[in-house]
Amino acid sequence: MKKIRLITALILGKLALLMIKLLGKGKGTSLPGRLALKISSEIIRLGALRVKKGIILVTGTNGKTTTNNMIASVLEESGYRVLINREGANLVYGIATVFVREMDIWGNRSFDYACLEIDEAAFPVVLSQVDAGCVVITNFFRDQLDRFGELDKTVGIVANALKNYKKTRLVLNGDDPLVAQLGRTTGQSSIYYGLEKYLDSHFVPSSVSEGKFCPLCGQKLDYSYYQYSQLGSYSCTGCGFSRLKPDIEGISPQFKSYSTSCLIEYSSSERIKLDVPIYGIYNLYNTLAAFATLNFLQINAQKIVDTLGKFKPATGRMEIFKYQDKSIFLHLVKNPTGFNQGLKAVLAMSENPLDLMIAINDNDADGRDISWLWDVDFEILEECQERFLSIVCSGIRAEEIALRLKYAGIRSSKLLIIKDYNCAVEMMFEGKGGGAYILATYTALWPVERIISQNAQRI
Amino acid sequence: MHREFKGTFKICHLYPDLLNLYGDQGNVAAITRRCQWRGIETELHFVNIGDMVDFSEMDFVFLGGGSDREQNLMAADLAEKKDSLWKAIEDNLPILAICGGYQLLGKYYQTIEGKIIPGLDLLDFHTIGGEKRLIGNIAVEIQLGGESHKITGFENHSGCTFLGDIEPLGIVLSGYGNNGKDQREGAQYKNVIASYLHGPLLPKNPLITDYLISRALERRGHPWNLKPLDDSLENAANEFMLGRMLG
């Protein structure tokens, strides 16, 4: 009976996928799974049984998609058959959709590994249905508060799910106290990754920094340095909880506008050089998370760095396009920490002047509350606004982002409100800047990406 | 006559290290910029746990909300400053209190379990913890300086506030407001404005910002009209949300 339900669910789900594809409506990353789950509530559990070597779950606020895609790409390159939700559809329906898409209709096809990135809120549900070989947790930042309540609650959801789970292995960001504490509170054995202090580590926290207090005892946390947001070297003034030397550590990172490199120390004393074609410290953390996971899965270190050296970012994760001679950057923004990193990337660009577009939507997937825009440090643009000929504000809440920029000190004459994506992207193509940068929230990203990819070359 | 205000406009941001949720620091940015755009010099005072502050010296005070743990820390600290705060309120100091900060000014907060957490007891209202979180966009019609205006924001609270002998900030047109039952939103007493509206409240609703600045200048003995600013962007953002909620 279970089997019949499963087969029916798979067939219907696959039909839905086909329909969505034929109609050209949406990405079909959620509805097929939703339908299939209605018929067989066990589709995730039964699908997961077809994964032979191991299921890897990636959760946390930022970097899930990049980390997960990195892990999967190395496993695939190593000859394994991998099931993955590559497009970042990371809620329960999205996970179910992956199984619908990848399984044959009899539900018999098998895989070596499954790499699943999972939204923090959906994490307990998915975890309870699969036998996870390892769980990667990237970081915890403030994100879409209207959905979760508060950050403490989000951390609690993940912690509780792991506490009540059978034995697994955690891969934890040792530089984020909110993540690292899970090694102590969940009773699971853990591997930590982190980044050593380097030239740009700083001594003052950013304004949106979380983790001012010890997640274990509530006393104040002291920092000897910060990498970004609450990531850094912390130690608790009360209980002594502190950053330990991680098992996998990045050393002497170098950030160029299109790539990032560092040495990785692993297995106590071995070192290997890593050079990835993506920008920024947060991507370096994602890379270290992937390396730590793959090292745990006993993939050869040279194989890992060689494959990651050719890594292509997913849609909107600092993607680069060429339109005639002009580089167009596309980057997803969804919370203050990620947005701040995006703005730093914009300012790190060598092209002058620049065209900038920011598209903000407030659909469910973006977070209906856009107050967080006021926690983004747009003020760093004020001093260098001459670098921008104009800033195009787009998306459903275009007026609001324009208003935010006005109160960050950007002159109103530089702010253009163009709600229509076609016209807004056209401004980026035809703008007089040497390069264009587009930052967009989740549901604005996809239509914008479609317009760009129809007209420009993906690099 | 738009005579110049010669002094420095002192803005007090209470517990910015603790209460930095939901973009509420945008309220401080709004007051600061709208003073500066009128040539009024501003001075920003951050007051954190254990810091001394003389409220009578301030021209505007902002009190936001935080997560439970942070809220408790600041409540204990602010309790020690209560007398000076009360004197300043009676002396017409403009204060904006949002969400958790709003609740704290009242008599008490009763948790779902029935536990009573005393408030500062400065204003006549109390809050009762609810099972359901009241989340979503909100539109409110307010009376300010004898005029009626429609304002918008985003609310996200589980506490339900019930007013005693005190005026609401306004009447809910769409959304929940204080408790989802009596159509009231926020509270106002003298120059204190308390509200559940994030968004943040002041940037998109410049008339409240300017009202607070005007009252502050009046308190300093400069009772004149503020120079008007170009608010087309502010109004466009507000009107878009009004249109969406009220049709």
Side-chain angles (χ1 to χ4, degrees):
Chain A
M1 187 57 195
K2 263 187 192 170
K3 188 77 183 176
I4 296 171
R5 275 183 172 270
L6 176 67
I7 292 170
T8 320
L10 286 169
I11 292 174
L12 268 172
K14 280 178 181 292
L15 277 174
L17 266 175
L18 187 70
M19 287 294 285
I20 290 167
K21 203 171 170 186
L22 288 176
L23 293 171
K25 293 236 160 126
K27 292 182 290 131
T29 53
S30 171
L31 182 75
R34 191 173 182 163
L35 265 175
L37 273 171
K38 277 221 161 82
I39 295 154
S40 166
S41 60
E42 292 203 277
I43 190 161
I44 294 177
R45 195 183 67 79
L46 294 171
L49 291 175
R50 308 301 301 168
V51 181
K52 305 289 182 217
K53 290 179 77 76
I55 294 178
I56 298 135
L57 305 183
V58 181
T59 193
T61 311
N62 286 351
K64 290 186 287 285
T65 302
T66 298
T67 304
N68 194 47
N69 288 359
M70 281 179 160
I71 295 168
S73 70
V74 175
L75 290 174
E76 278 169 348
E77 188 73 17
S78 304
Y80 294 111
R81 189 160 184 179
V82 182
L83 180 129
I84 174 184
N85 56 341
R86 204 181 290 279
E87 300 285 291
N90 57 19
L91 298 169
V92 175
Y93 297 146
I95 308 283
T97 303
V98 175
F99 283 104
V100 166
R101 194 178 59 211
E102 299 296 326
M103 303 296 286
D104 57 282
I105 56 166
W106 310 110
N108 284 339
R109 184 176 295 161
S110 63
F111 298 86
D112 297 312
Y113 288 100
C115 296
L116 301 173
E117 62 147 303
I118 306 179
D119 180 90
E120 304 93 291
F123 180 73
V125 182
V126 177
L127 186 71
S128 70
Q129 294 182 45
V130 305
D131 183 4
C134 88
V135 176
V136 186
I137 302 173
T138 56
N139 46 56
F140 285 118
F141 299 123
R142 199 176 295 165
D143 189 21
Q144 301 184 15
L145 286 153
D146 62 313
R147 200 156 46 106
F148 293 135
E150 288 147 12
L151 183 69
D152 295 348
K153 220 172 276 170
T154 307
V155 178
I157 289 171
V158 174
N160 282 331
L162 287 169
K163 236 177 259 178
N164 302 320
Y165 194 62
K166 61 176 170 281
K167 202 171 163 317
T168 183
R169 185 65 64 105
L170 306 184
V171 177
L172 302 177
N173 185 339
D175 289 353
D176 182 347
L178 299 177
V179 173
Q181 60 146 337
L182 298 175
R184 295 216 190 170
T185 56
T186 61
Q188 303 283 3
S189 62
S190 311
I191 298 161
Y192 297 92
Y193 63 91
L195 180 63
E196 198 187 50
K197 185 182 176 194
Y198 70 109
L199 282 174
D200 282 347
S201 302
H202 43 278
F203 304 101
V204 282
S206 71
S207 58
V208 294
S209 176
E210 303 291 344
K212 297 205 158 65
F213 301 97
C214 176
L216 298 175
C217 75
Q219 293 295 307
K220 198 170 167 294
L221 281 183
D222 274 347
Y223 275 80
S224 58
Y225 61 84
Y226 292 88
Q227 303 290 29
Y228 73 99
S229 199
Q230 81 272 15
L231 275 56
S233 183
Y234 49 87
S235 69
C236 173
T237 51
C239 69
F241 169 61
S242 63
R243 178 194 194 259
L244 302 173
K245 182 163 174 66
D247 304 297
I248 305 292
E249 189 166 37
I251 296 167
S252 321
Q254 298 208 312
F255 302 101
K256 303 185 199 103
S257 47
Y258 300 92
S259 72
T260 305
S261 63
C262 76
L263 278 175
I264 297 182
E265 191 168 289
Y266 65 105
S267 307
S268 302
S269 59
E270 296 202 53
R271 287 185 173 199
I272 194 162
K273 174 111 172 101
L274 170 100
D275 198 336
V276 283
I278 44 180
Y279 172 83
I281 187 167
Y282 52 100
N283 272 325
L284 181 55
Y285 271 97
N286 296 334
T287 312
L288 292 168
F291 186 96
T293 310
L294 292 158
N295 187 58
F296 167 66
L297 297 174
Q298 299 187 321
I299 306 294
N300 174 275
Q302 193 62 51
K303 180 82 188 172
I304 302 174
V305 295
D306 286 350
T307 312
L308 294 180
K310 296 175 288 187
F311 182 74
K312 286 235 182 299
T315 302
R317 271 67 173 190
M318 213 68 87
E319 252 187 317
I320 311 168
F321 298 82
K322 268 272 185 252
Y323 178 79
Q324 292 163 5
D325 286 335
K326 192 170 176 177
S327 297
I328 314 273
F329 286 71
L330 179 63
H331 189 52
L332 169 72
V333 287
K334 49 182 186 171
N335 49 40
T337 302
F339 212 136
N340 285 339
Q341 298 291 338
L343 292 179
K344 281 197 186 128
V346 174
L347 296 179
M349 286 182 70
S350 49
E351 287 89 347
N352 243 336
L354 285 171
D355 293 305
L356 181 62
M357 166 177 160
I358 304 177
I360 304 293
N361 279 357
D362 65 352
N363 294 312
D364 281 346
D366 306 290
R368 289 179 301 141
D369 181 11
I370 59 162
S371 306
W372 62 273
L373 289 174
W374 293 81
D375 288 332
V376 177
D377 191 14
F378 288 107
E379 280 72 12
I380 62 167
L381 300 178
E382 184 181 7
E383 291 294 307
C384 43
Q385 55 184 299
E386 297 316 320
R387 284 191 68 185
F388 306 98
L389 298 170
S390 61
I391 300 178
V392 172
C393 303
S394 189
I396 297 171
R397 300 298 292 272
E399 294 92 350
E400 203 93 20
I401 181 63
L403 186 64
R404 173 67 190 97
L405 290 166
K406 177 180 173 183
Y407 280 84
I410 307 295
R411 280 193 299 283
S412 300
S413 57
K414 281 203 185 289
L415 301 169
L416 297 177
I417 295 175
I418 303 175
K419 288 204 163 182
D420 180 83
Y421 298 130
N422 281 299
C423 301
V425 173
E426 184 72 21
M427 291 281 296
M428 294 297 104
F429 286 153
E430 303 304 334
K432 299 258 182 323
Y437 218 104
I438 303 175
L439 301 153
T441 59
Y442 195 76
T443 67
L445 181 74
W446 296 97
V448 166
E449 191 267 347
R450 205 156 42 228
I451 297 164
I452 301 173
S453 60
Q454 279 163 6
N455 297 284
Q457 208 65 34
R458 194 184 301 264
I459 303 183
Chain B
M1 254 307 268
H2 306 300
R3 275 183 299 159
E4 257 179 67
F5 172 67
K6 294 283 187 222
T8 304
F9 194 97
K10 290 183 182 154
I11 298 165
C12 172
H13 188 170
L14 286 174
Y15 313 111
D17 281 1
L18 289 176
L19 315 176
N20 54 3
L21 274 180
Y22 307 111
D24 287 332
Q25 52 190 320
N27 291 313
V28 174
I31 293 273
T32 307
R33 293 286 183 188
R34 293 182 75 82
C35 282
Q36 288 169 357
W37 290 333
R38 295 181 167 108
I40 299 171
E41 204 179 303
T42 59
E43 210 172 83
L44 185 53
H45 296 255
F46 292 120
V47 174
N48 283 303
I49 300 265
D51 292 350
M52 301 287 287
V53 57
D54 182 355
F55 288 114
S56 69
E57 282 290 302
M58 296 297 156
D59 292 299
F60 169 73
V61 172
F62 174 69
L63 178 64
S67 65
D68 294 347
R69 182 177 53 212
E70 292 159 352
Q71 188 92 17
N72 292 339
L73 284 168
M74 74 119 168
D77 190 79
L78 198 55
E80 290 172 19
K81 303 176 166 73
K82 181 182 154 179
D83 290 343
S84 131
L85 188 59
W86 176 244
K87 268 189 210 125
I89 289 174
E90 286 297 314
D91 181 40
N92 296 318
L93 171 67
I95 297 177
L96 178 69
I98 299 292
C99 201
Y102 167 22
Q103 295 170 350
L104 186 63
L105 299 181
K107 290 177 181 303
Y108 61 87
Y109 185 105
Q110 183 182 331
T111 65
I112 298 178
E113 297 80 29
K115 201 177 128 197
I116 303 271
I117 302 169
L120 290 175
D121 198 12
L122 295 172
L123 304 180
D124 189 7
F125 56 80
H126 66 275
T127 304
I128 295 179
E131 294 281 347
K132 184 183 164 204
R133 244 189 132 72
L134 309 179
I135 302 181
N137 288 303
I138 172 169
V140 181
E141 179 148 21
I142 65 168
Q143 299 285 337
L144 213 52
E147 277 180 81
S148 160
H149 302 275
K150 291 186 176 106
I151 65 167
T152 56
F154 194 94
E155 61 183 324
N156 184 349
H157 54 109
S158 54
C160 292
T161 297
F162 296 92
L163 303 181
D165 185 18
I166 186 169
E167 287 297 308
L169 174 61
I171 301 302
V172 177
L173 300 173
S174 169
Y176 299 101
N178 282 344
N179 48 49
K181 294 183 188 107
D182 64 16
Q183 299 290 105
R184 293 164 163 212
E185 204 298 311
Q188 52 178 322
Y189 173 75
K190 295 217 162 187
N191 291 333
V192 180
I193 290 181
S195 170
Y196 275 114
L197 268 63
H198 300 289
L201 176 66
L202 295 187
K204 209 160 51 247
N205 301 295
L207 66 109
I208 304 181
T209 322
D210 286 354
Y211 175 83
L212 290 165
I213 296 173
S214 301
R215 295 290 81 75
L217 296 183
E218 207 171 87
R219 176 166 162 264
R220 288 269 174 245
H222 302 269
W224 44 73
N225 294 331
L226 287 178
K227 186 165 86 182
L229 299 171
D230 174 6
D231 288 338
S232 45
L233 206 46
E234 286 82 346
N235 294 336
N238 195 36
E239 272 154 27
F240 174 74
M241 289 313 287
L242 282 173
R244 209 157 87 168
M245 280 182 277
L246 307 177

